[in-house]
Amino acid sequence: RAKEAEELTRQNAENIEIQRLVAEYTKQVALYTDKLAKFTFWLVVVTVALVVVGVIQAVVAVYQWRTYEATLEANKVMERAYVTLSHHSPEAGALQFSITDGVGFVSIAVEIRNHGRTPARVTEVAISVRSGPDRLPNRIDSSPVQPGGHFLVTNASFITEFRETMPPDEVQAALMDKRLVRVIGQVEYTDIFGQKHRGTYARRYIAGRSGNDLTFELDPRYNNDYDET
């Protein structure tokens, strides 16, 4: 019986030790699990923060790109060429009428000038004299046309002259201020950025005025500059 009691005491001691070890192991696992949970939490927080930062960076990058494009377009508008038409106004008048051998003529000298900050290549210049009250066309499609090819740097210009026939009775009526006469023009050119443009011009003849006998024609389609496709 003494041996049995001793054996029972030894087993109880072993069981107590095992339970202590299990409890210690469980405690360590709990501590590790708690640390792992905290690490996972902060890992998730950092990951979410990185995602947010990435989204913010993407938004900022898109905004910066759009700002760059807008700035580039604004610079093109400010720096591009602006080519215009204007008429010369000698003492005899800008618009010259004549009748030779029963044929009426009207002529005008115009200056094409680049008022922009960068060069331009002129591809076409057209002038048309319109006699009568008919509505002006949107653009000149059939009229005396001067071929282009002129390369204009800033403030450079050239002068060209146009001459058309006109019925003698209309010439006489215009000189007597009995017939409406208007001059329309256009200059087509390409700026240094490759964009095509069309500058327009329109004036009304004033009979009997010396020097500048042409005044602005108040037509919103003219005396303007358009981008061409």
Side-chain angles (χ1 to χ4, degrees):
R1 289 183 178 274
K3 289 184 178 180
E4 291 179 356
E6 184 179 348
E7 180 66 22
L8 182 60
T9 299
R10 186 183 64 78
Q11 290 180 355
N12 288 337
E14 289 180 352
N15 289 337
I16 291 173
E17 181 63 19
I18 291 172
Q19 289 176 1
R20 187 187 69 77
L21 292 175
V22 169
E24 183 66 23
Y25 175 77
T26 302
K27 179 181 178 182
Q28 294 297 326
V29 169
L31 291 174
Y32 174 78
T33 303
D34 182 63
K35 292 180 180 180
L36 182 61
K38 290 180 179 178
F39 174 78
T40 303
F41 170 77
W42 287 112
L43 181 62
V44 170
V45 170
V46 171
T47 302
V48 170
L50 290 175
V51 170
V52 171
V53 170
V55 171
I56 293 175
Q57 288 178 334
V59 171
V60 171
V62 171
Y63 175 78
Q64 288 177 334
W65 177 254
R66 290 180 177 175
T67 301
Y68 167 76
E69 288 185 325
T71 302
L72 185 62
E73 288 302 314
N75 286 339
K76 286 183 179 180
V77 172
M78 291 186 295
E79 298 296 328
R80 78 168 181 84
Y82 285 91
V83 180
T84 62
L85 284 165
S86 62
H87 55 270
H88 274 218
S89 302
E91 186 64 28
L95 203 60
Q96 297 291 307
F97 295 92
S98 63
I99 299 176
T100 304
D101 297 330
V103 179
F105 295 95
V106 57
S107 61
I108 183 174
V110 296
E111 180 185 42
I112 293 84
R113 180 179 293 273
N114 179 12
H115 296 276
R117 297 183 178 180
T118 51
R121 185 171 298 279
V122 176
T123 55
E124 180 183 295
V125 181
I127 290 288
S128 178
V129 178
R130 299 297 172 119
S131 174
D134 295 340
R135 186 175 186 271
L136 296 177
N138 290 328
R139 63 186 302 152
I140 304 174
D141 292 321
S142 57
S143 68
V145 173
Q146 294 282 354
H150 295 274
F151 185 77
L152 299 179
V153 297
T154 299
N155 209 36
S157 66
F158 66 94
I159 297 174
T160 185
E161 184 173 342
F162 290 85
R163 191 168 189 251
E164 293 185 37
T165 59
M166 178 181 285
D169 59 329
E170 293 187 10
V171 170
Q172 295 290 350
L175 291 172
M176 297 173 64
D177 198 19
K178 293 183 177 180
R179 188 169 182 84
L180 174 64
V181 175
R182 291 168 292 179
V183 183
I184 58 174
Q186 66 189 29
V187 53
E188 297 183 3
Y189 62 98
T190 304
D191 64 28
I192 198 172
F193 304 106
Q195 175 64 48
K196 296 180 179 179
H197 305 275
R198 179 170 59 92
T200 58
Y201 164 99
R203 298 292 189 274
R204 179 185 294 246
Y205 173 66
I206 303 176
R209 177 190 284 184
S210 60
N212 184 14
D213 53 8
L214 294 174
T215 188
F216 274 93
E217 175 67 16
L218 301 180
D219 188 318
R221 297 169 300 162
Y222 287 88
N223 305 310
N224 211 331
D225 190 276
Y226 300 94
D227 290 344
E228 297 279 271
T229 56

mmCIF file of all heavy atoms in Angstrom, residues 13-54:
data_model
loop_
_atom_site.group_PDB
_atom_site.id
_atom_site.type_symbol
_atom_site.label_atom_id
_atom_site.label_comp_id
_atom_site.label_asym_id
_atom_site.label_seq_id
_atom_site.Cartn_x
_atom_site.Cartn_y
_atom_site.Cartn_z
ATOM 1 N N ALA A 13 1.984 14.397 -9.118
ATOM 2 C CA ALA A 13 2.985 15.450 -9.322
ATOM 3 C C ALA A 13 3.270 15.650 -10.796
ATOM 4 O O ALA A 13 3.417 16.796 -11.286
ATOM 5 C CB ALA A 13 4.279 15.081 -8.572
ATOM 6 N N GLU A 14 3.337 14.537 -11.547
ATOM 7 C CA GLU A 14 3.570 14.651 -13.000
ATOM 8 C C GLU A 14 2.400 15.353 -13.676
ATOM 9 O O GLU A 14 2.586 16.188 -14.584
ATOM 10 C CB GLU A 14 3.781 13.265 -13.601
ATOM 11 C CG GLU A 14 5.109 12.630 -13.211
ATOM 12 C CD GLU A 14 5.282 11.249 -13.837
ATOM 13 O OE1 GLU A 14 4.305 10.744 -14.432
ATOM 14 O OE2 GLU A 14 6.399 10.693 -13.744
ATOM 15 N N ASN A 15 1.197 15.003 -13.261
ATOM 16 C CA ASN A 15 0.012 15.642 -13.866
ATOM 17 C C ASN A 15 -0.002 17.150 -13.588
ATOM 18 O O ASN A 15 -0.347 17.970 -14.449
ATOM 19 C CB ASN A 15 -1.268 15.013 -13.313
ATOM 20 C CG ASN A 15 -1.479 13.592 -13.844
ATOM 21 O OD1 ASN A 15 -0.959 13.239 -14.898
ATOM 22 N ND2 ASN A 15 -2.222 12.761 -13.094
ATOM 23 N N ILE A 16 0.388 17.484 -12.360
ATOM 24 C CA ILE A 16 0.424 18.909 -12.015
ATOM 25 C C ILE A 16 1.465 19.633 -12.861
ATOM 26 O O ILE A 16 1.243 20.748 -13.357
ATOM 27 C CB ILE A 16 0.722 19.062 -10.509
ATOM 28 C CG1 ILE A 16 -0.476 18.575 -9.690
ATOM 29 C CG2 ILE A 16 1.033 20.524 -10.186
ATOM 30 C CD1 ILE A 16 -0.213 18.521 -8.202
ATOM 31 N N GLU A 17 2.628 18.995 -13.073
ATOM 32 C CA GLU A 17 3.670 19.602 -13.890
ATOM 33 C C GLU A 17 3.219 19.769 -15.342
ATOM 34 O O GLU A 17 3.471 20.796 -15.985
ATOM 35 C CB GLU A 17 4.936 18.751 -13.810
ATOM 36 C CG GLU A 17 6.116 19.294 -14.603
ATOM 37 C CD GLU A 17 6.589 20.646 -14.107
ATOM 38 O OE1 GLU A 17 6.280 21.026 -12.956
ATOM 39 O OE2 GLU A 17 7.254 21.369 -14.894
ATOM 40 N N ILE A 18 2.545 18.699 -15.845
ATOM 41 C CA ILE A 18 2.041 18.768 -17.225
ATOM 42 C C ILE A 18 1.026 19.902 -17.363
ATOM 43 O O ILE A 18 1.046 20.688 -18.329
ATOM 44 C CB ILE A 18 1.426 17.415 -17.633
ATOM 45 C CG1 ILE A 18 2.534 16.355 -17.773
ATOM 46 C CG2 ILE A 18 0.626 17.544 -18.925
ATOM 47 C CD1 ILE A 18 2.018 14.956 -17.985
ATOM 48 N N GLN A 19 0.121 19.996 -16.392
ATOM 49 C CA GLN A 19 -0.886 21.060 -16.439
ATOM 50 C C GLN A 19 -0.213 22.442 -16.384
ATOM 51 O O GLN A 19 -0.652 23.399 -17.032
ATOM 52 C CB GLN A 19 -1.861 20.887 -15.274
ATOM 53 C CG GLN A 19 -2.795 19.679 -15.431
ATOM 54 C CD GLN A 19 -3.685 19.459 -14.228
ATOM 55 O OE1 GLN A 19 -3.614 20.231 -13.254
ATOM 56 N NE2 GLN A 19 -4.500 18.393 -14.264
ATOM 57 N N ARG A 20 0.880 22.528 -15.561
ATOM 58 C CA ARG A 20 1.587 23.804 -15.484
ATOM 59 C C ARG A 20 2.223 24.153 -16.815
ATOM 60 O O ARG A 20 2.166 25.305 -17.274
ATOM 61 C CB ARG A 20 2.661 23.724 -14.407
ATOM 62 C CG ARG A 20 3.359 25.068 -14.135
ATOM 63 C CD ARG A 20 4.519 24.872 -13.193
ATOM 64 N NE ARG A 20 5.578 24.125 -13.835
ATOM 65 C CZ ARG A 20 6.431 24.650 -14.720
ATOM 66 N NH1 ARG A 20 6.352 25.923 -15.059
ATOM 67 N NH2 ARG A 20 7.365 23.891 -15.254
ATOM 68 N N LEU A 21 2.831 23.146 -17.447
ATOM 69 C CA LEU A 21 3.462 23.366 -18.746
ATOM 70 C C LEU A 21 2.420 23.750 -19.800
ATOM 71 O O LEU A 21 2.653 24.631 -20.629
ATOM 72 C CB LEU A 21 4.235 22.121 -19.183
ATOM 73 C CG LEU A 21 5.477 21.782 -18.345
ATOM 74 C CD1 LEU A 21 6.083 20.455 -18.807
ATOM 75 C CD2 LEU A 21 6.516 22.888 -18.460
ATOM 76 N N VAL A 22 1.271 23.033 -19.752
ATOM 77 C CA VAL A 22 0.200 23.355 -20.706
ATOM 78 C C VAL A 22 -0.299 24.785 -20.487
ATOM 79 O O VAL A 22 -0.539 25.545 -21.430
ATOM 80 C CB VAL A 22 -0.950 22.341 -20.596
ATOM 81 C CG1 VAL A 22 -2.177 22.813 -21.381
ATOM 82 C CG2 VAL A 22 -0.500 20.976 -21.080
ATOM 83 N N ALA A 23 -0.465 25.146 -19.230
ATOM 84 C CA ALA A 23 -0.926 26.501 -18.918
ATOM 85 C C ALA A 23 0.086 27.542 -19.381
ATOM 86 O O ALA A 23 -0.283 28.594 -19.927
ATOM 87 C CB ALA A 23 -1.175 26.618 -17.407
ATOM 88 N N GLU A 24 1.401 27.237 -19.165
ATOM 89 C CA GLU A 24 2.437 28.159 -19.606
ATOM 90 C C GLU A 24 2.450 28.268 -21.131
ATOM 91 O O GLU A 24 2.582 29.375 -21.686
ATOM 92 C CB GLU A 24 3.802 27.676 -19.101
ATOM 93 C CG GLU A 24 4.950 28.596 -19.433
ATOM 94 C CD GLU A 24 4.865 29.927 -18.740
ATOM 95 O OE1 GLU A 24 4.191 30.029 -17.688
ATOM 96 O OE2 GLU A 24 5.446 30.920 -19.270
ATOM 97 N N TYR A 25 2.283 27.133 -21.800
ATOM 98 C CA TYR A 25 2.247 27.134 -23.270
ATOM 99 C C TYR A 25 1.045 27.928 -23.783
ATOM 100 O O TYR A 25 1.156 28.737 -24.722
ATOM 101 C CB TYR A 25 2.211 25.699 -23.783
ATOM 102 C CG TYR A 25 2.058 25.601 -25.267
ATOM 103 C CD1 TYR A 25 3.138 25.842 -26.116
ATOM 104 C CD2 TYR A 25 0.826 25.280 -25.844
ATOM 105 C CE1 TYR A 25 3.003 25.752 -27.478
ATOM 106 C CE2 TYR A 25 0.678 25.202 -27.206
ATOM 107 C CZ TYR A 25 1.762 25.443 -28.032
ATOM 108 O OH TYR A 25 1.616 25.356 -29.377
ATOM 109 N N THR A 26 -0.085 27.688 -23.112
ATOM 110 C CA THR A 26 -1.304 28.409 -23.516
ATOM 111 C C THR A 26 -1.126 29.913 -23.323
ATOM 112 O O THR A 26 -1.563 30.733 -24.148
ATOM 113 C CB THR A 26 -2.497 27.912 -22.695
ATOM 114 O OG1 THR A 26 -2.635 26.493 -22.884
ATOM 115 C CG2 THR A 26 -3.780 28.609 -23.121
ATOM 116 N N LYS A 27 -0.456 30.266 -22.216
ATOM 117 C CA LYS A 27 -0.206 31.687 -21.959
ATOM 118 C C LYS A 27 0.684 32.282 -23.048
ATOM 119 O O LYS A 27 0.422 33.383 -23.544
ATOM 120 C CB LYS A 27 0.448 31.830 -20.591
ATOM 121 C CG LYS A 27 0.783 33.268 -20.231
ATOM 122 C CD LYS A 27 1.451 33.339 -18.869
ATOM 123 C CE LYS A 27 1.839 34.762 -18.537
ATOM 124 N NZ LYS A 27 2.539 34.834 -17.220
ATOM 125 N N GLN A 28 1.747 31.554 -23.425
ATOM 126 C CA GLN A 28 2.653 32.041 -24.465
ATOM 127 C C GLN A 28 1.932 32.165 -25.815
ATOM 128 O O GLN A 28 2.151 33.122 -26.558
ATOM 129 C CB GLN A 28 3.866 31.102 -24.588
ATOM 130 C CG GLN A 28 4.761 31.089 -23.366
ATOM 131 C CD GLN A 28 5.385 32.442 -23.114
ATOM 132 O OE1 GLN A 28 5.699 33.177 -24.042
ATOM 133 N NE2 GLN A 28 5.559 32.773 -21.816
ATOM 134 N N VAL A 29 1.079 31.150 -26.119
ATOM 135 C CA VAL A 29 0.307 31.214 -27.369
ATOM 136 C C VAL A 29 -0.619 32.427 -27.366
ATOM 137 O O VAL A 29 -0.773 33.128 -28.370
ATOM 138 C CB VAL A 29 -0.484 29.908 -27.580
ATOM 139 C CG1 VAL A 29 -1.496 30.059 -28.717
ATOM 140 C CG2 VAL A 29 0.459 28.751 -27.860
ATOM 141 N N ALA A 30 -1.241 32.682 -26.229
ATOM 142 C CA ALA A 30 -2.147 33.827 -26.115
ATOM 143 C C ALA A 30 -1.387 35.135 -26.327
ATOM 144 O O ALA A 30 -1.849 36.046 -27.024
ATOM 145 C CB ALA A 30 -2.844 33.807 -24.757
ATOM 146 N N LEU A 31 -0.194 35.219 -25.693
ATOM 147 C CA LEU A 31 0.617 36.418 -25.866
ATOM 148 C C LEU A 31 1.039 36.594 -27.330
ATOM 149 O O LEU A 31 0.998 37.697 -27.889
ATOM 150 C CB LEU A 31 1.859 36.354 -24.971
ATOM 151 C CG LEU A 31 1.603 36.470 -23.459
ATOM 152 C CD1 LEU A 31 2.911 36.235 -22.692
ATOM 153 C CD2 LEU A 31 1.041 37.844 -23.117
ATOM 154 N N TYR A 32 1.467 35.485 -27.956
ATOM 155 C CA TYR A 32 1.870 35.545 -29.374
ATOM 156 C C TYR A 32 0.690 35.927 -30.262
ATOM 157 O O TYR A 32 0.827 36.746 -31.182
ATOM 158 C CB TYR A 32 2.441 34.193 -29.791
ATOM 159 C CG TYR A 32 2.743 34.106 -31.266
ATOM 160 C CD1 TYR A 32 3.891 34.700 -31.793
ATOM 161 C CD2 TYR A 32 1.884 33.448 -32.133
ATOM 162 C CE1 TYR A 32 4.174 34.627 -33.139
ATOM 163 C CE2 TYR A 32 2.154 33.381 -33.487
ATOM 164 C CZ TYR A 32 3.302 33.973 -33.986
ATOM 165 O OH TYR A 32 3.561 33.898 -35.323
ATOM 166 N N THR A 33 -0.474 35.333 -29.973
ATOM 167 C CA THR A 33 -1.668 35.642 -30.769
ATOM 168 C C THR A 33 -2.032 37.111 -30.639
ATOM 169 O O THR A 33 -2.419 37.777 -31.609
ATOM 170 C CB THR A 33 -2.844 34.766 -30.327
ATOM 171 O OG1 THR A 33 -2.476 33.391 -30.455
ATOM 172 C CG2 THR A 33 -4.085 35.044 -31.161
ATOM 173 N N ASP A 34 -1.908 37.643 -29.411
ATOM 174 C CA ASP A 34 -2.213 39.063 -29.194
ATOM 175 C C ASP A 34 -1.253 39.954 -29.981
ATOM 176 O O ASP A 34 -1.674 40.924 -30.631
ATOM 177 C CB ASP A 34 -2.122 39.373 -27.694
ATOM 178 C CG ASP A 34 -2.480 40.823 -27.402
ATOM 179 O OD1 ASP A 34 -3.629 41.222 -27.653
ATOM 180 O OD2 ASP A 34 -1.573 41.564 -26.955
ATOM 181 N N LYS A 35 0.043 39.602 -29.920
ATOM 182 C CA LYS A 35 1.030 40.367 -30.673
ATOM 183 C C LYS A 35 0.783 40.254 -32.172
ATOM 184 O O LYS A 35 0.913 41.240 -32.921
ATOM 185 C CB LYS A 35 2.437 39.897 -30.333
ATOM 186 C CG LYS A 35 2.867 40.227 -28.912
ATOM 187 C CD LYS A 35 4.281 39.738 -28.634
ATOM 188 C CE LYS A 35 4.707 40.082 -27.209
ATOM 189 N NZ LYS A 35 6.085 39.602 -26.924
ATOM 190 N N LEU A 36 0.437 39.022 -32.629
ATOM 191 C CA LEU A 36 0.145 38.826 -34.054
ATOM 192 C C LEU A 36 -1.073 39.626 -34.487
ATOM 193 O O LEU A 36 -1.090 40.224 -35.575
ATOM 194 C CB LEU A 36 -0.074 37.334 -34.330
ATOM 195 C CG LEU A 36 -0.350 36.947 -35.790
ATOM 196 C CD1 LEU A 36 0.840 37.335 -36.670
ATOM 197 C CD2 LEU A 36 -0.652 35.455 -35.911
ATOM 198 N N ALA A 37 -2.079 39.685 -33.619
ATOM 199 C CA ALA A 37 -3.287 40.459 -33.941
ATOM 200 C C ALA A 37 -2.953 41.945 -34.059
ATOM 201 O O ALA A 37 -3.420 42.645 -34.969
ATOM 202 C CB ALA A 37 -4.355 40.228 -32.876
ATOM 203 N N LYS A 38 -2.124 42.434 -33.100
ATOM 204 C CA LYS A 38 -1.728 43.833 -33.162
ATOM 205 C C LYS A 38 -0.902 44.114 -34.422
ATOM 206 O O LYS A 38 -1.092 45.142 -35.100
ATOM 207 C CB LYS A 38 -0.929 44.203 -31.917
ATOM 208 C CG LYS A 38 -1.772 44.240 -30.649
ATOM 209 C CD LYS A 38 -0.915 44.614 -29.441
ATOM 210 C CE LYS A 38 -1.768 44.676 -28.175
ATOM 211 N NZ LYS A 38 -0.939 45.003 -26.982
ATOM 212 N N PHE A 39 0.015 43.207 -34.739
ATOM 213 C CA PHE A 39 0.827 43.381 -35.945
ATOM 214 C C PHE A 39 -0.046 43.375 -37.195
ATOM 215 O O PHE A 39 0.136 44.213 -38.108
ATOM 216 C CB PHE A 39 1.873 42.261 -36.028
ATOM 217 C CG PHE A 39 2.652 42.267 -37.308
ATOM 218 C CD1 PHE A 39 3.691 43.164 -37.504
ATOM 219 C CD2 PHE A 39 2.324 41.386 -38.338
ATOM 220 C CE1 PHE A 39 4.405 43.174 -38.691
ATOM 221 C CE2 PHE A 39 3.030 41.399 -39.524
ATOM 222 C CZ PHE A 39 4.071 42.295 -39.700
ATOM 223 N N THR A 40 -0.997 42.437 -37.240
ATOM 224 C CA THR A 40 -1.911 42.370 -38.386
ATOM 225 C C THR A 40 -2.733 43.648 -38.498
ATOM 226 O O THR A 40 -2.954 44.175 -39.593
ATOM 227 C CB THR A 40 -2.843 41.158 -38.247
ATOM 228 O OG1 THR A 40 -2.049 39.969 -38.118
ATOM 229 C CG2 THR A 40 -3.752 41.034 -39.459
ATOM 230 N N PHE A 41 -3.193 44.157 -37.355
ATOM 231 C CA PHE A 41 -3.978 45.398 -37.360
ATOM 232 C C PHE A 41 -3.164 46.550 -37.946
ATOM 233 O O PHE A 41 -3.630 47.285 -38.834
ATOM 234 C CB PHE A 41 -4.418 45.728 -35.929
ATOM 235 C CG PHE A 41 -5.016 47.090 -35.790
ATOM 236 C CD1 PHE A 41 -6.316 47.356 -36.200
ATOM 237 C CD2 PHE A 41 -4.266 48.145 -35.248
ATOM 238 C CE1 PHE A 41 -6.870 48.618 -36.075
ATOM 239 C CE2 PHE A 41 -4.807 49.406 -35.128
ATOM 240 C CZ PHE A 41 -6.114 49.647 -35.536
ATOM 241 N N TRP A 42 -1.942 46.720 -37.443
ATOM 242 C CA TRP A 42 -1.117 47.809 -37.940
ATOM 243 C C TRP A 42 -0.697 47.587 -39.388
ATOM 244 O O TRP A 42 -0.541 48.553 -40.146
ATOM 245 C CB TRP A 42 0.110 47.990 -37.043
ATOM 246 C CG TRP A 42 -0.243 48.605 -35.722
ATOM 247 C CD1 TRP A 42 -0.202 48.032 -34.498
ATOM 248 C CD2 TRP A 42 -0.732 49.932 -35.537
ATOM 249 N NE1 TRP A 42 -0.627 48.896 -33.528
ATOM 250 C CE2 TRP A 42 -0.960 50.097 -34.139
ATOM 251 C CE3 TRP A 42 -1.008 51.006 -36.365
ATOM 252 C CZ2 TRP A 42 -1.440 51.269 -33.587
ATOM 253 C CZ3 TRP A 42 -1.477 52.184 -35.820
ATOM 254 C CH2 TRP A 42 -1.693 52.326 -34.452
ATOM 255 N N LEU A 43 -0.529 46.320 -39.765
ATOM 256 C CA LEU A 43 -0.224 46.017 -41.167
ATOM 257 C C LEU A 43 -1.379 46.445 -42.065
ATOM 258 O O LEU A 43 -1.174 47.032 -43.138
ATOM 259 C CB LEU A 43 0.069 44.527 -41.337
ATOM 260 C CG LEU A 43 0.425 44.061 -42.749
ATOM 261 C CD1 LEU A 43 1.715 44.737 -43.219
ATOM 262 C CD2 LEU A 43 0.568 42.552 -42.813
ATOM 263 N N VAL A 44 -2.598 46.171 -41.606
ATOM 264 C CA VAL A 44 -3.778 46.584 -42.372
ATOM 265 C C VAL A 44 -3.850 48.112 -42.434
ATOM 266 O O VAL A 44 -4.136 48.696 -43.488
ATOM 267 C CB VAL A 44 -5.058 45.998 -41.749
ATOM 268 C CG1 VAL A 44 -6.299 46.621 -42.385
ATOM 269 C CG2 VAL A 44 -5.090 44.498 -41.892
ATOM 270 N N VAL A 45 -3.585 48.754 -41.276
ATOM 271 C CA VAL A 45 -3.614 50.224 -41.246
ATOM 272 C C VAL A 45 -2.596 50.798 -42.219
ATOM 273 O O VAL A 45 -2.899 51.723 -43.003
ATOM 274 C CB VAL A 45 -3.349 50.728 -39.815
ATOM 275 C CG1 VAL A 45 -3.139 52.251 -39.823
ATOM 276 C CG2 VAL A 45 -4.495 50.370 -38.894
ATOM 277 N N VAL A 46 -1.364 50.264 -42.198
ATOM 278 C CA VAL A 46 -0.323 50.760 -43.100
ATOM 279 C C VAL A 46 -0.697 50.499 -44.549
ATOM 280 O O VAL A 46 -0.499 51.356 -45.430
ATOM 281 C CB VAL A 46 1.031 50.111 -42.746
ATOM 282 C CG1 VAL A 46 2.072 50.452 -43.802
ATOM 283 C CG2 VAL A 46 1.501 50.565 -41.373
ATOM 284 N N THR A 47 -1.260 49.313 -44.830
ATOM 285 C CA THR A 47 -1.659 48.985 -46.206
ATOM 286 C C THR A 47 -2.731 49.942 -46.703
ATOM 287 O O THR A 47 -2.671 50.452 -47.834
ATOM 288 C CB THR A 47 -2.177 47.541 -46.277
ATOM 289 O OG1 THR A 47 -1.152 46.655 -45.816
ATOM 290 C CG2 THR A 47 -2.558 47.177 -47.700
ATOM 291 N N VAL A 48 -3.735 50.191 -45.841
ATOM 292 C CA VAL A 48 -4.799 51.127 -46.220
ATOM 293 C C VAL A 48 -4.215 52.522 -46.448
ATOM 294 O O VAL A 48 -4.572 53.225 -47.405
ATOM 295 C CB VAL A 48 -5.902 51.163 -45.142
ATOM 296 C CG1 VAL A 48 -6.887 52.297 -45.413
ATOM 297 C CG2 VAL A 48 -6.631 49.833 -45.086
ATOM 298 N N ALA A 49 -3.277 52.912 -45.567
ATOM 299 C CA ALA A 49 -2.650 54.230 -45.719
ATOM 300 C C ALA A 49 -1.888 54.323 -47.035
ATOM 301 O O ALA A 49 -1.944 55.339 -47.744
ATOM 302 C CB ALA A 49 -1.715 54.503 -44.546
ATOM 303 N N LEU A 50 -1.166 53.239 -47.381
ATOM 304 C CA LEU A 50 -0.437 53.232 -48.651
ATOM 305 C C LEU A 50 -1.391 53.322 -49.838
ATOM 306 O O LEU A 50 -1.104 54.007 -50.828
ATOM 307 C CB LEU A 50 0.420 51.967 -48.751
ATOM 308 C CG LEU A 50 1.634 51.904 -47.808
ATOM 309 C CD1 LEU A 50 2.313 50.546 -47.917
ATOM 310 C CD2 LEU A 50 2.623 53.014 -48.134
ATOM 311 N N VAL A 51 -2.521 52.613 -49.735
ATOM 312 C CA VAL A 51 -3.514 52.679 -50.813
ATOM 313 C C VAL A 51 -4.061 54.097 -50.951
ATOM 314 O O VAL A 51 -4.191 54.638 -52.057
ATOM 315 C CB VAL A 51 -4.663 51.679 -50.553
ATOM 316 C CG1 VAL A 51 -5.803 51.916 -51.542
ATOM 317 C CG2 VAL A 51 -4.158 50.252 -50.671
ATOM 318 N N VAL A 52 -4.368 54.725 -49.793
ATOM 319 C CA VAL A 52 -4.883 56.104 -49.818
ATOM 320 C C VAL A 52 -3.857 57.047 -50.420
ATOM 321 O O VAL A 52 -4.171 57.903 -51.260
ATOM 322 C CB VAL A 52 -5.272 56.554 -48.396
ATOM 323 C CG1 VAL A 52 -5.603 58.049 -48.383
ATOM 324 C CG2 VAL A 52 -6.455 55.751 -47.881
ATOM 325 N N VAL A 53 -2.593 56.889 -49.995
ATOM 326 C CA VAL A 53 -1.529 57.728 -50.548
ATOM 327 C C VAL A 53 -1.397 57.502 -52.048
ATOM 328 O O VAL A 53 -1.217 58.453 -52.825
ATOM 329 C CB VAL A 53 -0.191 57.436 -49.834
ATOM 330 C CG1 VAL A 53 0.961 58.125 -50.556
ATOM 331 C CG2 VAL A 53 -0.252 57.900 -48.387
ATOM 332 N N GLY A 54 -1.493 56.241 -52.475
ATOM 333 C CA GLY A 54 -1.414 55.948 -53.900
ATOM 334 C C GLY A 54 -2.539 56.602 -54.681
ATOM 335 O O GLY A 54 -2.321 57.148 -55.766
#
